[in-house]
Amino acid sequence: MATYDLVVIGTGPGGYVCAVRASQLGMKVAVVEKNATLGGTCLNVGCMPSKALLHASEMFEEAGHSFAKMGVSVSAPKLDLPSMMNFKQQGIDGNVKGVEFLMKKNKIDVLKGSGKILGTGKVEVSADGKSQIVDTKSIVIATGSDIARLKGIEIDETRIVSSTGALSLDKVPGKLLIVGAGVIGLELGSVWHRLGAEVVVVEFLDRILPGMDGEIAKQFQRILEKQGFAFKLGAKVTGVDTSGKTLKATIEPAAGGAAETLEADVVLVAIGRVPYTDGLGLKEAGVALDNRGRVQIDPHFATSVKGVYAIGDVVAGPMLAHKAEDEGVAVAEIIAGQAGHVNYDVIPGVVYTTPEVSSVGKTEEELKQAGVAYTVGKFPFTANGRSKVNQTTDGFVKILADAKTDRVLGVHIIGREAGEMIHEAAVLMEFGGSAEDLARTCHAHPTRSEAIKEAALAVGKRAIHM
Ligand code: FAD
Ligand code: NAI
């Protein structure tokens, strides 16, 4: 008799959510976690700490630059970085405790240690030189991802940092050089820029935020440049000299050509993340990986070994916490004999900067490439009443709809609160709704969400306020 119905390896958003859903479905469940705290990358060194610092640094920036124009007179704010880091830590602790509570509430055993798969139904858990073998009917691999490294550039997490070090700097760098204009580079660049750092971003491609709608990314770059960001696009960092008091980074054009040197106090390497499978014993157990080192799964999250499944950052797809969570729910339901499913066409993405950038569904570039005939409806926040009174008019809403059927295929927003606004589009798309459906839905006035309704009206060339 197996001790457990399910053992989940990893307690990030994929793993712990999977464990809770499985417990709800009547399974006896254990989670294995090698980190001292539960919650994975997201809670400990990812989503949560970065959002705490984004919030705190935004308040700092607002107090210094926006209060006076609203008639709120305060003296220039002073930065107390240790207190800001304490605020961040309180947020992490609160969320980690929340996951511990959920494990207790759902009667899920927490096995502290490193998990290794010995084959179908057997997991070895090792900690402090001791190990135990746990019998289980099913295993879910939810071991997440790790930072991608640049050849020849050693991350010491003090002067040359990954996102983890950039979340815990002990002083504001005079000059911060960021390698990679992706989500991490732009979010953490925003944090330190608001707190006083000069920020230069070096990006290999000729654009920022690859994968996001091109028109939105272009406008976002202009806004960030207005805020003070400097970008070097089509360039790569090939080395960092650490011998002097300041770092000297060698930058080369991506297409080849003369190199230049840029000085910086801190270099943040943010060039993506890679699946994490170290120590899991996958090769010996016969669990197949794809050509990018991700655990290979079929449409039902099953790996090449019977009874072993995988979800989250360690498998293909966007490396996002909510994608991992939804896969966790789906695989638990599948193991329980139900029809668990994730709709990969409707996974929102948000960049939590100011303004925020959010997106769901297809970009204009993807529709062009697929040869789909589409119509575009756009509405700027400069024409939205609420944004005007708040004087936060940067950005616009863009809706892409099928030219024949009017079905909404993609929605892209740049603007304040874009990350909250995107979900009405996600619900609409989940139900296969049209731009007309959105345009005929009453929206409260005055809200920023009215810009979505107006963009939907603009698909049919009948926006009212433009
Ligand atoms: P993880 O969260 O990585 O968890 C994996 C867990 O498995 C870890 O706790 C690890 O210790 C454990 N583990 C690994 N191997 C073993 C083993 N052999 N035995 C036992 N335990 C093991 N996503 C968003 O959606 N929104 C955001 O705002 C966001 N912000 C981010 C900011 C930063 C700075 C970073 C780095 C990432 C961010 N992400 C964000 C991405 C998000 O963190 C990941 O997509 C998400 O954490 C993936 O969840 P997961 O459960 O697959 O893996
Ligand atoms: P990313 O994939 O978003 O961006 C990496 C960038 O680095 C790309 O623009 C890429 O072209 C560039 N790059 C790669 N190699 C380079 C080189 N040698 N020189 C210069 N540029 C180079 O990866 P990032 O920002 O590291 O984030 C990792 C993951 O974490 C992402 O998949 C993201 O989904 C997730 N994340 C999500 C957040 C959110 O949802 N708000 C926040 C932070 C991270």
Side-chain angles (χ1 to χ4, degrees), residues 9-16 32-35 37-48 50-51 113-116 142-145 147 163-164 167 183-184 187-188 273 276-280 311-314 318-324 350 352:
I9 308 177
T11 61
Y16 86 75
V32 185
E33 177 55 62
K34 69 181 174 68
N35 195 27
T37 51
L38 306 183
T41 304
C42 177
L43 271 65
N44 294 282
V45 289
C47 326
M48 293 311 179
S50 59
K51 265 77 256 180
S114 197
K116 182 176 173 183
T143 50
S145 60
I147 47 177
S163 52
T164 303
L167 288 167
V183 201
I184 290 182
E187 286 189 356
L188 295 182
R273 293 182 64 83
Y276 184 80
T277 55
D278 288 6
L280 266 178
I311 56 164
D313 278 13
V314 80
M319 287 183 167
L320 295 172
H322 40 286
K323 176 259 193 189
V350 179
Y352 297 87

Side-chain angles (χ1 to χ4, degrees), residues 61-136:
E61 162 94 9
E62 294 260 297
H65 295 99
S66 306
F67 281 13
K69 72 175 179 193
M70 294 185 276
V72 182
S73 168
V74 291
S75 49
K78 275 200 218 101
L79 177 64
D80 175 356
L81 191 56
S83 293
M84 198 177 275
M85 289 296 167
N86 190 36
F87 171 78
K88 176 200 75 173
Q89 194 56 45
Q90 284 171 3
I92 295 174
D93 294 345
N95 279 294
V96 165
K97 279 203 187 88
V99 176
E100 285 168 6
F101 164 78
L102 289 175
M103 297 300 101
K104 274 203 193 95
K105 182 182 169 214
N106 290 283
K107 298 186 174 52
I108 295 162
D109 288 346
V110 176
L111 310 177
K112 284 285 173 79
S114 197
K116 182 176 173 183
I117 297 171
L118 302 179
T120 300
K122 285 211 184 311
V123 176
E124 182 182 63
V125 182
S126 309
D128 307 323
K130 289 188 207 126
S131 66
Q132 57 167 320
I133 292 173
V134 183
D135 291 318
T136 176

Side-chain angles (χ1 to χ4, degrees), residues 5 18 69 74-75 111 132-133 144 189 238 244 308 317 337 353 373 392 401 417 449 463:
D5 295 309
C18 173
K69 72 175 179 193
V74 291
S75 49
L111 310 177
Q132 57 167 320
I133 292 173
T238 52
V308 180
T353 42
T392 51
E417 293 150 47
S449 296

Side-chain angles (χ1 to χ4, degrees), residues 41 46-47 50-51 54 145-150 163 178-188 201-210 232 234-238 269-274 313 317-322 348-353 357:
T41 304
C47 326
S50 59
K51 265 77 256 180
L54 278 159
S145 60
D146 192 11
I147 47 177
R149 285 155 216 277
L150 262 177
S163 52
I178 299 174
V179 193
V183 201
I184 290 182
L186 301 182
E187 286 189 356
L188 295 182
V201 185
V202 179
E203 164 60 47
F204 188 79
L205 300 174
D206 59 0
R207 56 163 292 173
I208 68 168
L209 285 183
K232 277 191 176 295
K236 59 184 179 185
V237 174
T238 52
V269 179
I271 56 161
R273 293 182 64 83
V274 290
D313 278 13
M319 287 183 167
L320 295 172
H322 40 286
V350 179
V351 188
Y352 297 87
T353 42
V357 179

Side-chain angles (χ1 to χ4, degrees), residues 139-162:
I139 300 167
V140 169
I141 302 169
T143 50
S145 60
D146 192 11
I147 47 177
R149 285 155 216 277
L150 262 177
K151 224 172 150 193
I153 297 176
E154 199 186 322
I155 291 172
D156 60 19
E157 296 297 11
T158 50
R159 292 212 293 169
I160 303 183
V161 297
S162 71

